[in-house]
Each structure stands twice: as C-alpha cells, then as structure tokens.
Amino acid sequence: MADEQTPMLHAEIVQSISKAGNPYECIEVMLGGMSIGRIFPSKLEMAMIKQTLGL
C-alpha cells in the first residue's frame, strides 16, 4: 500500500499560445500539484498520444 503522503506523478495535455502568438500543445508533467517539466512532442507524436488515450 502506498504511503498517503507520497505525491502522485501525472501528466496533462496543455494547449496554449506562445509569446510569439503561435498555438501549441505539450505534455506537462506534475508531481503532486507542482509542475516539474514540459515535453514537446512533434505534431505526429502528439496525435498518436491523443489517439492512444482516446482524446
């Protein structure tokens, strides 16, 4: 059984607009409620990730 104080690692697909005004999607990795990094897959990779997740 996991310790209830252990933070959970999860990822979310984020859609945003860059400072240059270009839309983008990335995967934000979070530990508990704190962002620990972002992954920027290619458009083809992101399409496959979303298809796999059923999004």
Side-chain angles (χ1 to χ4, degrees):
M1 182 176 205
D3 179 2
E4 295 200 20
Q5 298 299 319
T6 303
M8 179 180 252
L9 180 68
H10 70 278
E12 298 177 1
I13 295 177
V14 175
Q15 297 177 336
S16 191
I17 298 177
S18 69
K19 291 179 183 177
N22 301 317
Y24 71 90
E25 287 185 311
C26 68
I27 299 172
E28 185 167 18
V29 181
M30 303 181 83
L31 183 60
M34 183 173 64
S35 176
I36 58 172
R38 288 186 172 184
I39 302 168
F40 293 88
S42 69
K43 289 184 180 187
L44 178 59
E45 290 169 328
M46 183 62 87
M48 294 305 298
I49 291 166
K50 290 170 84 174
Q51 180 180 348
T52 301
L53 294 173
L55 301 176

